Amino acid sequence: MSQEYKATKLFVGSCVALIATAMTFAVLSAIMNPLKQQFLLTNEQVGYIGGAGLWGFPISILIFGPLCSVLGIRFLLRLAFVFFISGISLMILAQNFWMLFFGALTIAFANGLVEGACNPLVATLYPDRKTEKLNQFHVWFPGGIVIGGLLCFFLDNLGITDWRIKVGSILIPTFSYAIIMLGEKFPETERAQSGVSFGEMIKETLGSPLFILLFICMMMTASVELGPNRWIPAVLEAGGIPGMLVLVWTSLLMALLRQFAGPVVEKLSPTGMLLGSAILSGIGLYALSYAQSYTTIFIADTIFAI
């Protein structure tokens, strides 16, 4: 088996693992109203469950991401698999708010482990094509939301409304990525290969003002993207609008633009791209808050997605 074949197999497995991560986002967004109705939850409690599915994600990355070189990429992905199975099982067997909450939190930990392991894996597999391959890898986050969102939408239209089936569907990409890659040999991370110690890495990272600035900006960016998108299906469906299709449209545009944004980034520079994104997302969110009809929602959401 050639090295290139292994790299391709590990890359494909990473993309499938990211699809599992993205599907959890779509599925949790799709089941917020059913959870509220079945368990007689308040909007606040439903928000806590949806929030746990988000903030567990960065906590997991912060804890395990820096340890990737120490624990090994394969160990993190195996741990993610265990967390996926545990979190999905907790939610499917849930009898109350707390089981739902900790199930969503456990799934979010799995999501963070996938991101914390697969990003350095892809960068290590393709040292001379990092930007290209990382962009191709990250296409599958919005792409996975499209897959999960359409699955939930069609299940509803087929009359299969049990939210547990939707949660269980996350097992498909979870077992798929495990079969594809967890038996393979993994490379060491670039940090380990270059001989940089764990302490030196932490010192360089935390001592960089630019890194700290980008860290804060990324927190705000994630809040702008993930927070509103988590609530879009539930809020719009309460008004009789197919909110899941709105989320699918947002994610589809993100996937397409992320795939073909290379020439635009070269012309605008990363800073120009970030500024343009901030302006468009602000306009789109503001317009969404006032949109009433299908047409105005579609236009506002398109601006936000871009």
Side-chain angles (χ1 to χ4, degrees):
M1 187 181 296
S2 68
Q3 181 63 37
E4 178 62 30
Y5 179 78
K6 288 182 180 179
T8 301
K9 190 173 184 180
L10 290 174
F11 179 74
V12 170
S14 297
C15 293
V16 176
L18 193 61
I19 289 173
T21 294
M23 279 186 64
T24 66
F25 183 87
V27 168
L28 285 176
S29 298
I31 67 173
M32 291 177 77
N33 277 335
L35 291 182
K36 179 182 176 182
Q37 295 166 7
Q38 178 171 335
F39 292 92
L40 303 178
L41 303 175
T42 65
N43 283 335
E44 181 182 15
Q45 289 175 310
V46 174
Y48 276 124
I49 295 168
L54 294 178
W55 56 258
F57 183 68
I59 290 175
S60 179
I61 294 177
L62 283 173
I63 294 173
F64 292 104
L67 297 174
C68 185
S69 299
V70 179
L71 298 175
I73 296 172
R74 182 165 60 180
F75 175 83
L76 294 189
L77 287 172
R78 285 178 171 176
L79 188 60
F81 179 77
V82 172
F83 277 22
F84 270 127
I85 301 301
S86 302
I88 291 168
S89 300
L90 262 177
M91 291 204 74
I92 289 176
L93 299 174
Q95 300 296 317
N96 53 49
F97 163 78
W98 288 110
M99 290 184 71
L100 292 168
F101 175 85
F102 284 111
L105 183 61
T106 304
I107 293 173
F109 282 149
N111 294 340
L113 283 164
V114 167
E115 283 277 6
C118 289
N119 277 299
L121 174 60
V122 172
T124 302
L125 291 173
Y126 301 97
D128 300 323
R129 301 165 61 194
K130 288 181 188 176
T131 302
E132 173 194 353
K133 301 306 286 188
L134 282 169
N135 271 336
Q136 290 177 3
F137 168 61
H138 281 285
V139 162
W140 290 105
F141 187 78
I145 294 177
V146 171
I147 293 170
L150 288 176
L151 176 64
C152 292
F153 178 78
F154 286 123
L155 284 174
D156 285 338
N157 279 269
L158 290 171
I160 305 172
T161 57
D162 191 337
W163 60 270
R164 293 177 181 85
I165 295 176
K166 296 173 183 176
V167 174
S169 68
I170 304 168
L171 291 171
I172 298 173
T174 299
F175 277 102
S176 297
Y177 96 76
I179 292 169
I180 292 170
M181 66 192 312
L182 293 191
E184 291 293 317
K185 183 178 179 181
F186 283 70
E188 290 186 319
T189 63
E190 287 185 300
R191 181 193 68 77
Q193 292 178 20
S194 62
V196 177
S197 70
F198 179 77
E200 288 176 313
M201 179 191 70
I202 296 297
K203 182 179 177 181
E204 286 296 322
T205 300
L206 298 182
S208 169
L210 179 59
F211 174 83
I212 294 171
L213 173 63
L214 290 175
F215 179 83
I216 294 171
C217 289
M218 190 62 196
M219 289 174 63
M220 293 188 285
T221 301
S223 298
V224 168
E225 175 191 345
L226 301 179
N229 278 339
R230 166 69 83 222
W231 279 99
I232 279 176
V235 170
L236 294 183
E237 283 167 9
I241 296 171
M244 184 51 67
L245 290 185
V246 176
L247 178 61
V248 166
W249 172 245
T250 304
S251 302
L252 180 61
L253 275 180
M254 287 177 62
L256 292 174
L257 290 173
R258 190 168 288 176
Q259 180 71 20
F260 302 108
V264 181
V265 175
E266 291 178 3
K267 291 182 179 180
L268 290 180
S269 80
T271 307
M273 179 72 87
L274 289 169
L275 176 60
S277 297
I279 293 171
L280 287 173
S281 60
I283 293 172
L285 281 176
Y286 186 78
L288 269 172
S289 69
Y290 286 95
Q292 299 291 330
S293 65
Y294 286 101
T295 302
T296 54
I297 289 173
F298 176 79
I299 293 173
D301 187 66
T302 299
I303 295 170
F304 175 55
I306 293 171

